[in-house]
PDB file of all heavy atoms in Angstrom:
ATOM      1  N   VAL A  19     -15.933  16.140  -4.922  1.00  0.00           N
ATOM      2  CA  VAL A  19     -15.325  14.793  -5.012  1.00  0.00           C
ATOM      3  C   VAL A  19     -15.401  14.211  -3.575  1.00  0.00           C
ATOM      4  O   VAL A  19     -14.891  14.694  -2.552  1.00  0.00           O
ATOM      5  CB  VAL A  19     -13.902  14.845  -5.431  1.00  0.00           C
ATOM      6  CG1 VAL A  19     -13.269  13.406  -5.464  1.00  0.00           C
ATOM      7  CG2 VAL A  19     -13.811  15.384  -6.869  1.00  0.00           C
ATOM      8  N   SER A  20     -16.029  12.934  -3.450  1.00  0.00           N
ATOM      9  CA  SER A  20     -16.319  12.466  -2.087  1.00  0.00           C
ATOM     10  C   SER A  20     -15.425  11.313  -1.727  1.00  0.00           C
ATOM     11  O   SER A  20     -15.573  10.782  -0.630  1.00  0.00           O
ATOM     12  CB  SER A  20     -17.792  11.866  -2.095  1.00  0.00           C
ATOM     13  OG  SER A  20     -18.094  10.879  -3.051  1.00  0.00           O
ATOM     14  N   ILE A  21     -14.539  10.951  -2.686  1.00  0.00           N
ATOM     15  CA  ILE A  21     -13.343  10.000  -2.326  1.00  0.00           C
ATOM     16  C   ILE A  21     -12.264  10.813  -1.741  1.00  0.00           C
ATOM     17  O   ILE A  21     -12.168  11.988  -1.951  1.00  0.00           O
ATOM     18  CB  ILE A  21     -12.982   9.106  -3.505  1.00  0.00           C
ATOM     19  CG1 ILE A  21     -12.441   9.992  -4.640  1.00  0.00           C
ATOM     20  CG2 ILE A  21     -14.203   8.211  -4.021  1.00  0.00           C
ATOM     21  CD1 ILE A  21     -11.908   9.227  -5.805  1.00  0.00           C
ATOM     22  N   ASN A  22     -11.318  10.106  -1.113  1.00  0.00           N
ATOM     23  CA  ASN A  22     -10.167  10.694  -0.535  1.00  0.00           C
ATOM     24  C   ASN A  22      -9.389  11.389  -1.595  1.00  0.00           C
ATOM     25  O   ASN A  22      -8.846  10.784  -2.511  1.00  0.00           O
ATOM     26  CB  ASN A  22      -9.347   9.719   0.173  1.00  0.00           C
ATOM     27  CG  ASN A  22      -8.157  10.224   0.816  1.00  0.00           C
ATOM     28  OD1 ASN A  22      -8.011  11.420   0.949  1.00  0.00           O
ATOM     29  ND2 ASN A  22      -7.160   9.462   1.251  1.00  0.00           N
ATOM     30  N   HIS A  23      -9.255  12.676  -1.455  1.00  0.00           N
ATOM     31  CA  HIS A  23      -8.519  13.516  -2.526  1.00  0.00           C
ATOM     32  C   HIS A  23      -7.610  14.560  -1.995  1.00  0.00           C
ATOM     33  O   HIS A  23      -7.334  15.601  -2.634  1.00  0.00           O
ATOM     34  CB  HIS A  23      -9.658  14.190  -3.345  1.00  0.00           C
ATOM     35  CG  HIS A  23     -10.513  15.193  -2.727  1.00  0.00           C
ATOM     36  ND1 HIS A  23     -11.712  14.726  -2.140  1.00  0.00           N
ATOM     37  CD2 HIS A  23     -10.301  16.566  -2.485  1.00  0.00           C
ATOM     38  CE1 HIS A  23     -12.210  15.845  -1.553  1.00  0.00           C
ATOM     39  NE2 HIS A  23     -11.385  16.983  -1.815  1.00  0.00           N
ATOM     40  N   GLN A  91      -7.029   7.796 -10.099  1.00  0.00           N
ATOM     41  CA  GLN A  91      -8.400   7.561  -9.515  1.00  0.00           C
ATOM     42  C   GLN A  91      -9.333   8.509 -10.223  1.00  0.00           C
ATOM     43  O   GLN A  91      -8.921   9.572 -10.788  1.00  0.00           O
ATOM     44  CB  GLN A  91      -8.484   7.973  -8.014  1.00  0.00           C
ATOM     45  CG  GLN A  91      -7.548   7.138  -7.160  1.00  0.00           C
ATOM     46  CD  GLN A  91      -7.520   7.623  -5.737  1.00  0.00           C
ATOM     47  OE1 GLN A  91      -8.440   7.408  -4.947  1.00  0.00           O
ATOM     48  NE2 GLN A  91      -6.338   8.174  -5.368  1.00  0.00           N
ATOM     49  N   THR A 128      -7.605  -1.966  -7.022  1.00  0.00           N
ATOM     50  CA  THR A 128      -8.596  -1.335  -6.035  1.00  0.00           C
ATOM     51  C   THR A 128      -7.857  -0.567  -5.003  1.00  0.00           C
ATOM     52  O   THR A 128      -6.862  -1.092  -4.503  1.00  0.00           O
ATOM     53  CB  THR A 128      -9.483  -2.476  -5.464  1.00  0.00           C
ATOM     54  OG1 THR A 128     -10.049  -3.214  -6.441  1.00  0.00           O
ATOM     55  CG2 THR A 128     -10.454  -1.905  -4.513  1.00  0.00           C
ATOM     56  N   ARG A 129      -8.452   0.585  -4.717  1.00  0.00           N
ATOM     57  CA  ARG A 129      -7.964   1.443  -3.625  1.00  0.00           C
ATOM     58  C   ARG A 129      -8.962   1.448  -2.645  1.00  0.00           C
ATOM     59  O   ARG A 129     -10.191   1.614  -2.979  1.00  0.00           O
ATOM     60  CB  ARG A 129      -7.400   2.798  -4.113  1.00  0.00           C
ATOM     61  CG  ARG A 129      -6.790   3.639  -3.021  1.00  0.00           C
ATOM     62  CD  ARG A 129      -6.162   4.899  -3.564  1.00  0.00           C
ATOM     63  NE  ARG A 129      -5.678   5.797  -2.599  1.00  0.00           N
ATOM     64  CZ  ARG A 129      -4.444   5.644  -1.997  1.00  0.00           C
ATOM     65  NH1 ARG A 129      -3.728   4.596  -2.366  1.00  0.00           N
ATOM     66  NH2 ARG A 129      -4.069   6.569  -1.091  1.00  0.00           N
ATOM     67  N   VAL A 130      -8.472   1.382  -1.314  1.00  0.00           N
ATOM     68  CA  VAL A 130      -9.532   1.373  -0.220  1.00  0.00           C
ATOM     69  C   VAL A 130      -9.369   2.577   0.566  1.00  0.00           C
ATOM     70  O   VAL A 130      -8.273   3.076   0.983  1.00  0.00           O
ATOM     71  CB  VAL A 130      -9.275   0.126   0.714  1.00  0.00           C
ATOM     72  CG1 VAL A 130     -10.335   0.111   1.788  1.00  0.00           C
ATOM     73  CG2 VAL A 130      -9.319  -1.151  -0.062  1.00  0.00           C
ATOM     74  N   ASN A 131     -10.579   3.288   0.869  1.00  0.00           N
ATOM     75  CA  ASN A 131     -10.592   4.472   1.790  1.00  0.00           C
ATOM     76  C   ASN A 131     -11.135   3.821   3.104  1.00  0.00           C
ATOM     77  O   ASN A 131     -12.059   3.138   3.185  1.00  0.00           O
ATOM     78  CB  ASN A 131     -11.609   5.514   1.289  1.00  0.00           C
ATOM     79  CG  ASN A 131     -11.048   6.373   0.131  1.00  0.00           C
ATOM     80  OD1 ASN A 131     -11.645   7.329  -0.251  1.00  0.00           O
ATOM     81  ND2 ASN A 131      -9.893   5.917  -0.414  1.00  0.00           N
ATOM     82  N   PHE A 132     -10.548   4.361   4.254  1.00  0.00           N
ATOM     83  CA  PHE A 132     -11.000   3.854   5.502  1.00  0.00           C
ATOM     84  C   PHE A 132     -11.525   5.111   6.274  1.00  0.00           C
ATOM     85  O   PHE A 132     -11.313   6.280   6.022  1.00  0.00           O
ATOM     86  CB  PHE A 132      -9.765   3.493   6.361  1.00  0.00           C
ATOM     87  CG  PHE A 132      -9.170   2.176   5.756  1.00  0.00           C
ATOM     88  CD1 PHE A 132      -8.285   2.245   4.695  1.00  0.00           C
ATOM     89  CD2 PHE A 132      -9.400   0.947   6.422  1.00  0.00           C
ATOM     90  CE1 PHE A 132      -7.682   1.117   4.177  1.00  0.00           C
ATOM     91  CE2 PHE A 132      -8.742  -0.281   5.965  1.00  0.00           C
ATOM     92  CZ  PHE A 132      -7.881  -0.121   4.843  1.00  0.00           C
ATOM     93  N   ILE A 133     -12.257   4.810   7.347  1.00  0.00           N
ATOM     94  CA  ILE A 133     -12.747   5.807   8.248  1.00  0.00           C
ATOM     95  C   ILE A 133     -12.257   5.459   9.786  1.00  0.00           C
ATOM     96  O   ILE A 133     -12.158   4.279  10.034  1.00  0.00           O
ATOM     97  CB  ILE A 133     -14.315   5.896   8.295  1.00  0.00           C
ATOM     98  CG1 ILE A 133     -14.784   7.212   9.228  1.00  0.00           C
ATOM     99  CG2 ILE A 133     -14.895   4.584   8.800  1.00  0.00           C
ATOM    100  CD1 ILE A 133     -16.245   7.514   8.898  1.00  0.00           C
ATOM    101  N   PHE A 134     -11.856   6.366  10.387  1.00  0.00           N
ATOM    102  CA  PHE A 134     -11.303   6.231  11.775  1.00  0.00           C
ATOM    103  C   PHE A 134     -12.437   5.859  12.903  1.00  0.00           C
ATOM    104  O   PHE A 134     -13.345   6.664  12.995  1.00  0.00           O
ATOM    105  CB  PHE A 134     -10.478   7.396  12.235  1.00  0.00           C
ATOM    106  CG  PHE A 134      -9.746   7.149  13.555  1.00  0.00           C
ATOM    107  CD1 PHE A 134      -8.776   6.207  13.717  1.00  0.00           C
ATOM    108  CD2 PHE A 134      -9.993   8.002  14.569  1.00  0.00           C
ATOM    109  CE1 PHE A 134      -8.165   6.109  14.883  1.00  0.00           C
ATOM    110  CE2 PHE A 134      -9.364   7.874  15.821  1.00  0.00           C
ATOM    111  CZ  PHE A 134      -8.413   6.883  15.988  1.00  0.00           C
ATOM    112  N   GLU A 210      -3.894  13.156   6.611  1.00  0.00           N
ATOM    113  CA  GLU A 210      -3.656  11.765   6.110  1.00  0.00           C
ATOM    114  C   GLU A 210      -2.343  11.224   6.419  1.00  0.00           C
ATOM    115  O   GLU A 210      -1.324  11.851   6.259  1.00  0.00           O
ATOM    116  CB  GLU A 210      -3.835  11.884   4.546  1.00  0.00           C
ATOM    117  CG  GLU A 210      -3.601  10.515   3.911  1.00  0.00           C
ATOM    118  CD  GLU A 210      -4.160  10.499   2.492  1.00  0.00           C
ATOM    119  OE1 GLU A 210      -4.714  11.468   2.038  1.00  0.00           O
ATOM    120  OE2 GLU A 210      -3.929   9.468   1.793  1.00  0.00           O
ATOM    121  N   ILE A 244      -6.646  10.123   8.511  1.00  0.00           N
ATOM    122  CA  ILE A 244      -7.216   9.612   7.241  1.00  0.00           C
ATOM    123  C   ILE A 244      -6.210   8.515   6.805  1.00  0.00           C
ATOM    124  O   ILE A 244      -5.026   8.790   6.814  1.00  0.00           O
ATOM    125  CB  ILE A 244      -7.226  10.678   6.165  1.00  0.00           C
ATOM    126  CG1 ILE A 244      -8.279  11.866   6.649  1.00  0.00           C
ATOM    127  CG2 ILE A 244      -7.798  10.306   4.801  1.00  0.00           C
ATOM    128  CD1 ILE A 244      -9.640  11.552   6.809  1.00  0.00           C
ATOM    129  N   TRP A 245      -6.748   7.432   6.290  1.00  0.00           N
ATOM    130  CA  TRP A 245      -6.063   6.278   5.756  1.00  0.00           C
ATOM    131  C   TRP A 245      -6.539   5.768   4.526  1.00  0.00           C
ATOM    132  O   TRP A 245      -7.804   5.688   4.376  1.00  0.00           O
ATOM    133  CB  TRP A 245      -6.005   5.214   6.860  1.00  0.00           C
ATOM    134  CG  TRP A 245      -4.892   4.179   6.692  1.00  0.00           C
ATOM    135  CD1 TRP A 245      -4.789   3.304   5.695  1.00  0.00           C
ATOM    136  CD2 TRP A 245      -3.763   3.939   7.620  1.00  0.00           C
ATOM    137  NE1 TRP A 245      -3.745   2.413   5.897  1.00  0.00           N
ATOM    138  CE2 TRP A 245      -3.064   2.774   7.147  1.00  0.00           C
ATOM    139  CE3 TRP A 245      -3.352   4.510   8.787  1.00  0.00           C
ATOM    140  CZ2 TRP A 245      -1.953   2.340   7.694  1.00  0.00           C
ATOM    141  CZ3 TRP A 245      -2.232   4.049   9.327  1.00  0.00           C
ATOM    142  CH2 TRP A 245      -1.518   2.853   8.833  1.00  0.00           C
ATOM    143  N   ALA A 246      -5.594   5.460   3.645  1.00  0.00           N
ATOM    144  CA  ALA A 246      -6.037   4.940   2.405  1.00  0.00           C
ATOM    145  C   ALA A 246      -4.966   4.080   1.830  1.00  0.00           C
ATOM    146  O   ALA A 246      -3.723   4.402   2.076  1.00  0.00           O
ATOM    147  CB  ALA A 246      -6.406   5.907   1.262  1.00  0.00           C
ATOM    148  N   CYS A 247      -5.284   2.964   1.107  1.00  0.00           N
ATOM    149  CA  CYS A 247      -4.182   2.108   0.615  1.00  0.00           C
ATOM    150  C   CYS A 247      -4.694   1.169  -0.444  1.00  0.00           C
ATOM    151  O   CYS A 247      -5.980   1.056  -0.697  1.00  0.00           O
ATOM    152  CB  CYS A 247      -3.424   1.256   1.659  1.00  0.00           C
ATOM    153  SG  CYS A 247      -4.497  -0.039   2.387  1.00  0.00           S
ATOM    154  N   ARG A 248      -3.820   0.520  -1.322  1.00  0.00           N
ATOM    155  CA  ARG A 248      -4.250  -0.470  -2.254  1.00  0.00           C
ATOM    156  C   ARG A 248      -4.879  -1.676  -1.418  1.00  0.00           C
ATOM    157  O   ARG A 248      -4.349  -2.043  -0.281  1.00  0.00           O
ATOM    158  CB  ARG A 248      -3.143  -1.002  -3.027  1.00  0.00           C
ATOM    159  CG  ARG A 248      -2.861  -0.096  -4.262  1.00  0.00           C
ATOM    160  CD  ARG A 248      -2.172  -0.783  -5.313  1.00  0.00           C
ATOM    161  NE  ARG A 248      -0.746  -1.100  -4.849  1.00  0.00           N
ATOM    162  CZ  ARG A 248      -0.003  -2.014  -5.223  1.00  0.00           C
ATOM    163  NH1 ARG A 248      -0.328  -2.855  -6.215  1.00  0.00           N
ATOM    164  NH2 ARG A 248       1.274  -2.329  -4.740  1.00  0.00           N
ATOM    165  N   LEU A 249      -5.892  -2.313  -1.964  1.00  0.00           N
ATOM    166  CA  LEU A 249      -6.470  -3.584  -1.466  1.00  0.00           C
ATOM    167  C   LEU A 249      -5.405  -4.587  -1.303  1.00  0.00           C
ATOM    168  O   LEU A 249      -5.375  -5.328  -0.263  1.00  0.00           O
ATOM    169  CB  LEU A 249      -7.654  -3.965  -2.303  1.00  0.00           C
ATOM    170  CG  LEU A 249      -8.306  -5.235  -1.885  1.00  0.00           C
ATOM    171  CD1 LEU A 249      -9.020  -4.995  -0.534  1.00  0.00           C
ATOM    172  CD2 LEU A 249      -9.406  -5.752  -2.937  1.00  0.00           C
ATOM    173  N   TYR A 255      -3.082  -2.514   5.063  1.00  0.00           N
ATOM    174  CA  TYR A 255      -4.578  -2.804   5.181  1.00  0.00           C
ATOM    175  C   TYR A 255      -4.657  -3.376   6.683  1.00  0.00           C
ATOM    176  O   TYR A 255      -5.700  -2.920   7.311  1.00  0.00           O
ATOM    177  CB  TYR A 255      -5.041  -3.858   4.138  1.00  0.00           C
ATOM    178  CG  TYR A 255      -6.461  -3.953   4.122  1.00  0.00           C
ATOM    179  CD1 TYR A 255      -7.241  -3.247   3.223  1.00  0.00           C
ATOM    180  CD2 TYR A 255      -7.219  -4.735   5.072  1.00  0.00           C
ATOM    181  CE1 TYR A 255      -8.724  -3.358   3.089  1.00  0.00           C
ATOM    182  CE2 TYR A 255      -8.606  -4.895   4.867  1.00  0.00           C
ATOM    183  CZ  TYR A 255      -9.320  -4.220   3.989  1.00  0.00           C
ATOM    184  OH  TYR A 255     -10.634  -4.352   3.889  1.00  0.00           O
ATOM    185  N   ALA A 258      -3.857  -0.711   9.395  1.00  0.00           N
ATOM    186  CA  ALA A 258      -5.120   0.129   9.531  1.00  0.00           C
ATOM    187  C   ALA A 258      -6.082  -0.227  10.360  1.00  0.00           C
ATOM    188  O   ALA A 258      -6.595   0.471  11.345  1.00  0.00           O
ATOM    189  CB  ALA A 258      -5.638   0.561   8.130  1.00  0.00           C
ATOM    190  N   PHE A 263      -8.982   1.749  12.271  1.00  0.00           N
ATOM    191  CA  PHE A 263      -9.626   2.200  10.919  1.00  0.00           C
ATOM    192  C   PHE A 263     -10.507   1.119  10.321  1.00  0.00           C
ATOM    193  O   PHE A 263     -10.231  -0.095  10.384  1.00  0.00           O
ATOM    194  CB  PHE A 263      -8.570   2.525   9.954  1.00  0.00           C
ATOM    195  CG  PHE A 263      -7.810   3.852  10.174  1.00  0.00           C
ATOM    196  CD1 PHE A 263      -6.618   3.734  11.039  1.00  0.00           C
ATOM    197  CD2 PHE A 263      -8.248   5.033   9.903  1.00  0.00           C
ATOM    198  CE1 PHE A 263      -5.900   4.767  11.371  1.00  0.00           C
ATOM    199  CE2 PHE A 263      -7.432   6.219  10.178  1.00  0.00           C
ATOM    200  CZ  PHE A 263      -6.381   6.095  11.074  1.00  0.00           C
ATOM    201  N   GLU A 264     -11.567   1.474   9.716  1.00  0.00           N
ATOM    202  CA  GLU A 264     -12.481   0.564   9.171  1.00  0.00           C
ATOM    203  C   GLU A 264     -12.672   0.989   7.651  1.00  0.00           C
ATOM    204  O   GLU A 264     -12.859   2.192   7.216  1.00  0.00           O
ATOM    205  CB  GLU A 264     -13.888   0.721   9.821  1.00  0.00           C
ATOM    206  CG  GLU A 264     -13.873   0.379  11.266  1.00  0.00           C
ATOM    207  CD  GLU A 264     -15.257   0.578  11.930  1.00  0.00           C
ATOM    208  OE1 GLU A 264     -16.054   1.448  11.325  1.00  0.00           O
ATOM    209  OE2 GLU A 264     -15.628   0.003  12.938  1.00  0.00           O
ATOM    210  N   PRO A 265     -12.558  -0.089   6.752  1.00  0.00           N
ATOM    211  CA  PRO A 265     -12.714   0.166   5.244  1.00  0.00           C
ATOM    212  C   PRO A 265     -14.143   0.547   4.983  1.00  0.00           C
ATOM    213  O   PRO A 265     -15.116   0.066   5.402  1.00  0.00           O
ATOM    214  CB  PRO A 265     -12.477  -1.228   4.706  1.00  0.00           C
ATOM    215  CG  PRO A 265     -12.587  -2.208   5.811  1.00  0.00           C
ATOM    216  CD  PRO A 265     -12.365  -1.551   6.973  1.00  0.00           C
ATOM    217  N   THR A 266     -14.277   1.722   4.174  1.00  0.00           N
ATOM    218  CA  THR A 266     -15.511   2.290   3.773  1.00  0.00           C
ATOM    219  C   THR A 266     -15.810   2.248   2.311  1.00  0.00           C
ATOM    220  O   THR A 266     -17.020   2.084   1.922  1.00  0.00           O
ATOM    221  CB  THR A 266     -15.778   3.629   4.332  1.00  0.00           C
ATOM    222  OG1 THR A 266     -14.665   4.465   3.786  1.00  0.00           O
ATOM    223  CG2 THR A 266     -15.611   3.578   5.886  1.00  0.00           C
ATOM    224  N   LYS A 267     -14.828   2.591   1.446  1.00  0.00           N
ATOM    225  CA  LYS A 267     -15.043   2.557   0.081  1.00  0.00           C
ATOM    226  C   LYS A 267     -13.969   1.804  -0.665  1.00  0.00           C
ATOM    227  O   LYS A 267     -12.816   1.918  -0.249  1.00  0.00           O
ATOM    228  CB  LYS A 267     -15.006   4.034  -0.421  1.00  0.00           C
ATOM    229  CG  LYS A 267     -16.092   4.934   0.053  1.00  0.00           C
ATOM    230  CD  LYS A 267     -16.046   6.357  -0.333  1.00  0.00           C
ATOM    231  CE  LYS A 267     -17.169   7.073   0.117  1.00  0.00           C
ATOM    232  NZ  LYS A 267     -17.039   8.569  -0.486  1.00  0.00           N
ATOM    233  N   GLN A 268     -14.369   1.130  -1.809  1.00  0.00           N
ATOM    234  CA  GLN A 268     -13.463   0.519  -2.636  1.00  0.00           C
ATOM    235  C   GLN A 268     -13.463   1.202  -4.011  1.00  0.00           C
ATOM    236  O   GLN A 268     -14.567   1.308  -4.616  1.00  0.00           O
ATOM    237  CB  GLN A 268     -13.625  -1.002  -2.774  1.00  0.00           C
ATOM    238  CG  GLN A 268     -13.258  -1.728  -1.592  1.00  0.00           C
ATOM    239  CD  GLN A 268     -13.216  -3.278  -1.708  1.00  0.00           C
ATOM    240  OE1 GLN A 268     -13.510  -3.711  -2.917  1.00  0.00           O
ATOM    241  NE2 GLN A 268     -12.869  -4.033  -0.787  1.00  0.00           N
ATOM    242  N   ILE A 269     -12.329   1.670  -4.517  1.00  0.00           N
ATOM    243  CA  ILE A 269     -12.398   2.543  -5.705  1.00  0.00           C
ATOM    244  C   ILE A 269     -11.362   1.884  -6.813  1.00  0.00           C
ATOM    245  O   ILE A 269     -10.255   1.537  -6.412  1.00  0.00           O
ATOM    246  CB  ILE A 269     -11.828   4.030  -5.234  1.00  0.00           C
ATOM    247  CG1 ILE A 269     -12.625   4.627  -4.152  1.00  0.00           C
ATOM    248  CG2 ILE A 269     -11.840   4.944  -6.463  1.00  0.00           C
ATOM    249  CD1 ILE A 269     -11.883   5.501  -3.309  1.00  0.00           C
TER     250      ILE A 269
END
Side-chain angles (χ1 to χ4, degrees):
V19 176
S20 61
I21 61 175
N22 181 14
H23 62 268
Q91 299 173 72
T128 304
R129 185 168 176 83
V130 182
N131 287 185
F132 293 81
I133 190 169
F134 182 65
E210 184 165 350
I244 303 296
W245 195 292
C247 68
R248 275 196 300 155
L249 180 63
Y255 195 98
F263 290 91
E264 300 174 333
T266 56
K267 294 180 180 179
Q268 293 194 354
I269 305 153

